Amino acid sequence: DAKTTQPNSMESNEEEPVHLPCNHSTISGTDYIHWYRQLPSQGPEYVIHGLTSNVNNRMASLAIAEDRKSSTLILHRATLRDAAVYYCILRGSNSGGSNYKLTFGKGTLLTVNP
Amino acid sequence: GAGVSQSPRYKVTKRGQDVALRCDPISGHVSLYWYRQALGQGPEFLTYFNYEAQQDKSGLPNDRFSAERPEGSISTLTIQRTEQRDSAMYRCASSPPQDTQYFGPGTRLTVL
């Protein structure tokens, strides 16, 4: 599985934007970039995913570098409820492979200060 | 609607006992996954079902671990002759085919 690298932890202030980086230099052409987050004492939840173009949804934005070797999850206005571990995961699109499973790293622990 | 449910939420057992962990997926989700999560780590894949067929069990640590999904809905993960190293959070997820996975609250297993 292609590997991702994320900082162990980041800190933000409430109401400010947060940019969570992820490096994935060995990404293949068919790998989607997925982000999940895990709030304290809960299971992981889906945040966003993309292939090449930047993506926006109600939770966040995903900015993907032109060479696809890195990406950034953007929370436009962090709230206390956004404090969580954020996981950047590569997931293949080919149905014949093992793209069904998610390979989690250690993620980035985001702390949001009031 | 109802999300993925797991039972029991907490299980304490003595070393050597067998345990069965249950997962009730979101209605209509054909894919079901089991993961194990140690403290401070991300979830680790155990096994995957497509309907009732176990398509991948490569993540099961050893032959004491087994899983089934006989009718393509509820799944049971069974651990025989539990050991202390089996203590962890066991998480189940379900999804439509090749789609976003929805995780349950997990079962916290403690083996004494």
Side-chain angles (χ1 to χ4, degrees):
Chain A
D1 293 328
K3 186 181 164 79
T4 62
T5 304
Q6 300 177 252
N8 289 333
S9 62
M10 290 186 66
E11 208 167 315
S12 172
N13 296 320
E14 205 174 4
E15 304 293 318
E16 291 184 357
V18 181
H19 291 229
L20 297 163
C22 181
N23 287 320
H24 30 78
S25 58
T26 59
I27 191 171
S28 76
T30 56
D31 284 339
Y32 281 78
I33 302 156
H34 286 246
W35 285 80
Y36 280 72
R37 73 178 184 180
Q38 188 168 18
L39 279 65
S41 302
Q42 294 189 28
E45 65 172 347
Y46 168 81
V47 177
I48 200 167
H49 77 281
L51 183 62
T52 56
S53 303
N54 295 344
V55 184
N56 299 295
N57 66 21
R58 63 173 181 81
M59 289 181 72
S61 295
L62 177 59
I64 301 172
E66 199 169 328
D67 63 5
R68 300 206 330 123
K69 294 186 176 182
S70 65
S71 61
T72 302
L73 179 71
I74 302 166
L75 307 179
H76 295 286
R77 291 180 65 192
T79 70
L80 298 179
R81 289 190 299 273
D82 292 321
V85 177
Y86 287 78
Y87 297 99
C88 170
I89 299 167
L90 300 183
R91 194 176 183 193
S93 64
N94 56 315
S95 59
S98 60
N99 59 316
Y100 44 81
K101 61 183 172 184
L102 298 175
T103 302
F104 292 82
K106 291 190 175 182
T108 297
L109 174 63
L110 175 65
T111 302
V112 180
N113 300 313
Chain B
V4 177
S5 62
Q6 293 185 244
S7 61
R9 294 290 309 276
Y10 301 90
K11 177 69 178 178
V12 180
T13 190
K14 291 184 179 179
R15 189 178 53 185
Q17 297 294 307
D18 297 350
V19 296
L21 312 181
R22 173 184 163 128
C23 172
D24 200 342
I26 293 172
S27 177
H29 279 189
V30 302
S31 300
L32 186 145
Y33 318 79
W34 283 98
Y35 292 83
R36 180 170 68 173
Q37 187 169 20
L39 207 59
Q41 305 290 321
E44 177 187 26
F45 172 80
L46 294 178
T47 188
Y48 158 66
F49 289 86
N50 187 37
Y51 295 98
E52 72 282 359
Q54 190 173 21
Q55 302 278 12
D56 184 347
K57 55 181 182 179
S58 64
L60 296 177
N62 51 59
D63 60 9
R64 295 187 297 106
F65 287 72
S66 62
E68 63 175 9
R69 193 187 185 197
E71 297 179 0
S73 179
I74 293 169
S75 176
T76 303
L77 176 69
T78 302
I79 309 172
Q80 296 179 311
R81 305 180 304 280
T82 52
E83 301 177 5
Q84 286 185 327
R85 59 178 171 156
D86 299 334
S87 296
M89 178 72 82
Y90 289 83
R91 298 197 183 275
C92 173
S94 72
S95 77
Q98 309 298 333
D99 206 329
T100 299
Q101 294 184 22
Y102 296 84
F103 284 79
T107 295
R108 167 74 66 190
L109 174 65
T110 302
V111 183
L112 301 176

